[in-house]
Amino acid sequence: HVLAGFSDKLRLMHLLMDDIRPYKEFAIKACRECRFSNGGQCFAAVNGNTIQIYSTYTCENIGNLRGHNGKVKSIYWTTDDARLVSAGIDGAVYEWQLKDFKRTSENVLKACSYTCAVCTADARSIFAVGSDRKMKEISDPNINKDVETGVGSNPIRLPDSGRMLCAGTAAGAV
């Protein structure tokens, strides 16, 4: 399967040998952030400031995560698919428990518009980057480390090993 956001709808499509066929359409306009869970049984899609969780098998909405005051720019599933981390332009980084669709931790820094957030494999630390040109390590809803990058960072990725952190910049550097 592949998820793709279009201007009119979000589409779940079958990826075949020589073709891509639409399977199911969801009424989410201009979805810029969607992500399958690590096990593939669920996917999350951003609809403005709401994150909608769907079952991949039945395509039904199994829950909504509400709390951001601005657009959500980044979503990230924990390794065990039990939690989701979200970051938005409102300066909020939230961790959500998917068992009951409740927010379990939050860190809000109004002066920063976050573009990306990831978490470690053990889900103890969250790394986030945004408009303030700093990379932050967040744990126990406090900012533990704050590293000046000097350039605007866009996407960051943390491999399962947790031994390195990769960041892309607006200038195209890694």
Side-chain angles (χ1 to χ4, degrees), residues 8 10-11 37 52 55 64 76 79 81 115 123 130 142 157 162:
D8 61 337
L10 175 70
R11 290 183 173 90
S37 62
Q52 297 177 319
S55 167
N64 294 313
Y76 188 84
T79 306
D81 292 335
T115 55
N142 300 315
R157 296 294 174 253

Side-chain angles (χ1 to χ4, degrees), residues 56-89:
T56 303
Y57 305 120
T58 63
C59 295
E60 69 180 273
N61 184 326
I62 57 175
N64 294 313
L65 307 175
R66 291 184 178 91
H68 282 278
N69 293 323
K71 286 187 178 181
V72 177
K73 297 294 276 183
S74 174
I75 51 178
Y76 188 84
W77 292 87
T78 58
T79 306
D80 62 359
D81 292 335
R83 290 174 279 173
L84 189 91
V85 173
S86 64
I89 63 170

Side-chain angles (χ1 to χ4, degrees), residues 12 14 17-18 34 38 53 68-70 74 76 89 92 107 121 130 132 137-138 141 147-148 174:
L12 178 65
H14 289 298
M17 185 77 80
D18 295 328
C34 55
N38 293 304
I53 310 295
H68 282 278
N69 293 323
S74 174
Y76 188 84
I89 63 170
N107 183 283
D132 63 353
E137 180 183 4
I138 303 167
V147 179
E148 180 73 39
V174 176

Side-chain angles (χ1 to χ4, degrees), residues 33 35 74-76 87 114-119 126-130 134-137 149 152-159 164-169 174:
E33 187 70 19
R35 188 177 298 263
S74 174
I75 51 178
Y76 188 84
Y114 286 109
T115 55
C116 190
V118 298
C119 71
I126 297 169
F127 294 93
V129 293
K134 294 179 181 178
M135 184 178 308
K136 297 166 194 62
E137 180 183 4
T149 61
S153 295
N154 288 333
I156 55 176
R157 296 294 174 253
L158 187 65
M164 73 173 147
L165 180 74
C166 301
T169 67
V174 176

Side-chain angles (χ1 to χ4, degrees), residues 12-50:
L12 178 65
M13 299 181 280
H14 289 298
L15 190 58
L16 305 171
M17 185 77 80
D18 295 328
D19 197 11
I20 299 175
R21 291 196 186 142
Y23 174 69
K24 182 76 174 173
E25 295 181 340
F26 304 90
I28 301 175
K29 292 183 179 187
C31 179
R32 295 198 170 270
E33 187 70 19
C34 55
R35 188 177 298 263
F36 282 104
S37 62
N38 293 304
Q41 73 277 13
C42 298
F43 64 88
V46 173
N47 189 0
N49 59 357
T50 301

